[in-house]
Amino acid sequence: VRGLDEDEWNVGAAWRAGRWSAAASASLTSSTQSDNRLIGIGGAFDLTENWVLRADVVSIREEPVGRRARDSIVALAEISFRF
């Protein structure tokens, strides 16, 4: 999109031990149209060599210029197969 003049900052860390893994991240984005913040945490567990259980939670704050800020939370879980 043209004319947004966007800046974005991201930071994150992850940890893995055996069959477990966990991660956390944060993102700040500012542009001429809005400021946004995302903060997330997640984890995964290897059920078997191929099946993985994973879950994430993300907090989102959107602040459009000239409008009220909106807060939301997204949570998801999945079982995936890797080969």
Side-chain angles (χ1 to χ4, degrees), residues 3-83:
L4 284 182
D5 193 19
E6 184 174 279
D7 291 319
E8 182 169 324
W9 295 88
N10 296 286
V11 64
W15 164 80
R16 182 158 181 89
R19 296 169 59 183
W20 289 93
S21 62
S25 64
S27 170
L28 296 171
T29 306
S30 62
S31 72
T32 56
Q33 295 183 358
S34 68
D35 291 335
N36 299 314
R37 179 203 74 210
L38 284 77
I39 299 172
I41 59 170
F45 178 72
D46 296 342
L47 298 168
T48 68
E49 183 179 334
N50 300 100
W51 291 98
V52 179
L53 173 63
R54 188 185 114 133
D56 294 291
V57 177
V58 179
S59 169
I60 303 167
R61 180 168 185 87
E62 299 175 292
E63 298 180 20
V65 173
R67 295 193 335 221
R68 207 169 110 205
R70 296 178 294 200
D71 293 308
S72 55
I73 294 176
V74 176
L76 66 97
E78 68 182 17
I79 295 177
S80 61
F81 181 80
R82 46 176 193 218
F83 51 93

